[in-house]
Amino acid sequence: MIKFHITRNNLTVEGTEVKKYCLRNIVKMDIFEHINRLREDDRKYIWHPFTQMKEWVEEPPVIITEAKDCFIKDIKGTWYLDGVSSLWVNIHGHGRREINDAIKAQLDKVSHTTLLGLANVPSIELAKRLVDITPEGLSRVFYSDNGSTSVEVALKMAFQYWKHKGVKSRNTFIALNNAYHGDTLGAVSAGGVDIFHETFGPLLFRTFRAPSPYCYRCELKREPDSCKTACLEVMEEILKRHSDEIAGVILEPLVQAAGGMICAPGGYLKGVRDLCSRYDVLLILDEVATGFGRTGKMFACEHEDVVPDIICLSKGLTGGYLPLAATICTDEIHEAFLGEFREMKTFFHGHSYTGNQLGCVAGLACLDIFENDRTVEKLQPGIALFNKWLKEVEKLDHVGDARAWGMMGGVELVKDKDIKEEYPWEEKMGWQVVYKAREKGVFLRPLGNIIVIMPPLVISEENFNLMLEIISNAIQEIT
Ligand code: PMP
């Protein structure tokens, strides 16, 4: 592995593997002209996701041209530590030879054929591996392309499962406040972040809402030490009255990520599992963000020995190299869909790129690295460092709460710590901190007033330390 050191904004690289920015493709064009043209064309042609485009066009976009290990480089040659793993997907670092080689080798065989009516080698091998590493009982893999579709699949699968069991009334789900499950309409129906989801209200299906396990801002106004997870009691009330209408409970185990890196207290997840079993509803765990080592175990549900009926995986599934998702269910669910052709029990769902070979070989290579490098076992020093830093940063005047499960965490900035007063949305306090950190060499993306920290799992202690120090300094300078 190459060793990197950041000196102020710039990165120096030890070793010979990383090439300096090279003009080989544009020898005849002036570099500044080239950069300006790309910037203009970005502003002119691209609609960026979750972005106010009026503001976007006012600033020159950072255009990424290269990445190595935990760093990304822009077109001007500035390197940044990738503090959010390229939106939470990168696990083993950028440019991992093993993943690159696997994709290159597959390219020479076949890039894509459909899984509708055909099978292919990488998708079979990956499905077997996924069944091996996910909790016992999850046994059947349905592929799709991204986190949102993995959730759509899970919701439709759970819904149709009950129909096949002869239960017609279970037409909705329990979802949590502050939940985020993706941007397709089914996933948005299960979402609970008003800023993202409220606009689409008229298009959504109805769900029952349970409180978010957000201890710092408890909806039930309880104190964490004495509440005994009162939010579970509310969920139980809903189940008592409406379980015959509910196909399943859907939640992000341990961390409600896009809702603000909200960390559930220990025991909450197990409590939900028990309720689902007691009231005979399915448990769908969306491990799109928490899966693949992020929380310190391969899957978050392992922390509490919970086995869901359906698990949704994406993001880290390919190590962050290609879009791929898997929704994995139990035999019992899969068997409910078996029948004669004329019985119409088929799961009528599928995408053009379902089971894509390139994505699946990337997934296999990613799992090989997990095994060979013992990635999860090696996380403990990084997690200890992170927890120590969180305790320190929480002492700052404008940090209300600093929380994490494993290597995924968030720092909640507040205007007034005593009364937990939030900074007004328009002040963009999270963004101000993030821009300051970027000036110092760390790339982040906030969620409102929450600074999200989720580096690739392979980040070295030295670089993680540096990153955390830069974030503390940025917070202090801005707040
Ligand atoms: N579920 C969770 C828990 C997520 O965090 C996300 C994305 N941040 C999604 C689903 C949606 O994934 P995608 O953006 O790949 O559609």
Side-chain angles (χ1 to χ4, degrees), residues 87-88 145-151 180-183 252 255 257-258 286-290 314-315:
L87 218 68
W88 317 351
D145 316 336
N146 57 66
S148 309
T149 53
S150 75
V151 168
Y180 178 87
H181 298 289
D183 295 328
E252 298 154 86
V255 187
D286 174 356
E287 292 239 21
V288 168
T290 54
S314 187
K315 291 196 187 276

Side-chain angles (χ1 to χ4, degrees), residues 5 19 30 62 148 164 416:
H5 297 287
K19 292 180 214 86
D30 177 78
V62 176
S148 309
H164 292 331
D416 185 329

Side-chain angles (χ1 to χ4, degrees), residues 115 119-130 143 355 360 364:
L115 226 57
N120 73 61
V121 178
S123 69
I124 298 169
E125 290 176 353
L126 181 61
K128 186 166 188 289
R129 291 279 290 277
L130 289 173
Y143 286 112
C360 289
L364 285 163

Side-chain angles (χ1 to χ4, degrees), residues 314-349:
S314 187
K315 291 196 187 276
L317 173 56
T318 61
Y321 283 59
L322 286 165
L324 184 73
T327 306
I328 313 179
C329 70
T330 58
D331 270 347
E332 192 191 339
I333 293 176
H334 177 249
E335 276 163 19
F337 287 73
L338 303 180
E340 298 304 323
F341 189 73
R342 63 184 150 70
E343 287 181 90
M344 302 285 282
K345 285 186 163 183
T346 303
F347 187 38
F348 289 112
H349 188 107

Side-chain angles (χ1 to χ4, degrees), residues 143-424:
Y143 286 112
S144 61
D145 316 336
N146 57 66
S148 309
T149 53
S150 75
V151 168
E152 295 293 329
V153 169
L155 296 171
K156 288 173 74 177
M157 196 182 262
F159 173 84
Q160 197 175 337
Y161 163 79
W162 287 110
K163 302 290 163 261
H164 292 331
K165 299 268 285 183
V167 182
K168 301 276 181 272
S169 59
R170 291 183 182 247
N171 294 333
T172 189
F173 294 84
I174 296 183
L176 302 191
N177 292 334
N178 291 318
Y180 178 87
H181 298 289
D183 295 328
T184 49
L185 287 175
V188 172
S189 298
V193 183
D194 287 347
I195 284 170
F196 302 152
H197 300 145
E198 211 171 18
T199 315
F200 302 104
L203 299 178
L204 308 179
F205 63 76
R206 177 187 68 97
T207 54
F208 289 102
R209 293 274 145 198
S212 164
Y214 188 4
C215 297
Y216 179 65
R217 296 187 187 277
C218 177
E219 289 172 46
L220 307 172
K221 309 278 178 253
R222 303 291 181 93
E223 289 303 320
D225 296 338
S226 53
C227 88
K228 300 206 175 75
T229 43
C231 39
L232 286 174
E233 290 165 21
V234 179
M235 188 183 281
E236 179 156 21
E237 278 308 309
I238 301 170
L239 284 164
K240 257 188 208 155
R241 275 187 272 142
H242 301 284
S243 63
D244 59 338
E245 296 166 59
I246 294 165
V249 174
I250 177 162
L251 59 86
E252 298 154 86
L254 302 191
V255 187
Q256 289 191 295
M261 305 309 284
I262 297 164
C263 295
Y268 174 81
L269 180 59
K270 183 110 187 60
V272 175
R273 172 69 271 181
D274 292 346
L275 288 177
C276 290
S277 303
R278 198 166 335 134
Y279 290 90
D280 193 23
V281 300
L282 299 177
L283 175 62
I284 302 169
L285 290 186
D286 174 356
E287 292 239 21
V288 168
T290 54
F292 299 100
R294 290 280 176 209
T295 63
K297 296 209 185 255
M298 195 61 167
F299 300 105
C301 58
E302 291 172 26
H303 285 274
E304 303 199 354
D305 287 328
V306 160
V307 182
D309 300 286
I310 304 178
I311 197 168
C312 305
L313 304 175
S314 187
K315 291 196 187 276
L317 173 56
T318 61
Y321 283 59
L322 286 165
L324 184 73
T327 306
I328 313 179
C329 70
T330 58
D331 270 347
E332 192 191 339
I333 293 176
H334 177 249
E335 276 163 19
F337 287 73
L338 303 180
E340 298 304 323
F341 189 73
R342 63 184 150 70
E343 287 181 90
M344 302 285 282
K345 285 186 163 183
T346 303
F347 187 38
F348 289 112
H349 188 107
H351 301 277
S352 310
Y353 283 99
T354 296
N356 171 264
Q357 283 96 324
L358 296 175
C360 289
V361 294
L364 285 163
C366 172
L367 292 182
D368 285 344
I369 302 175
F370 265 111
E371 263 181 44
N372 297 338
D373 289 4
R374 299 180 26 256
T375 311
V376 175
E377 291 92 312
K378 285 189 191 153
L379 288 176
Q380 290 316 315
I383 293 173
L385 176 75
F386 196 16
N387 286 332
K388 191 162 162 241
W389 178 82
L390 288 164
K391 282 206 181 80
E392 281 306 307
V393 86
E394 211 172 42
K395 292 179 190 155
L396 297 179
D397 289 347
H398 291 282
V399 172
D401 191 29
R403 49 191 180 246
W405 266 101
M407 290 291 280
M408 60 191 295
V411 175
E412 181 161 345
L413 307 173
V414 285
K415 191 164 184 176
D416 185 329
K417 197 164 171 157
D418 295 334
I419 55 168
K420 301 183 182 178
E421 185 189 349
E422 293 177 53
Y423 283 107

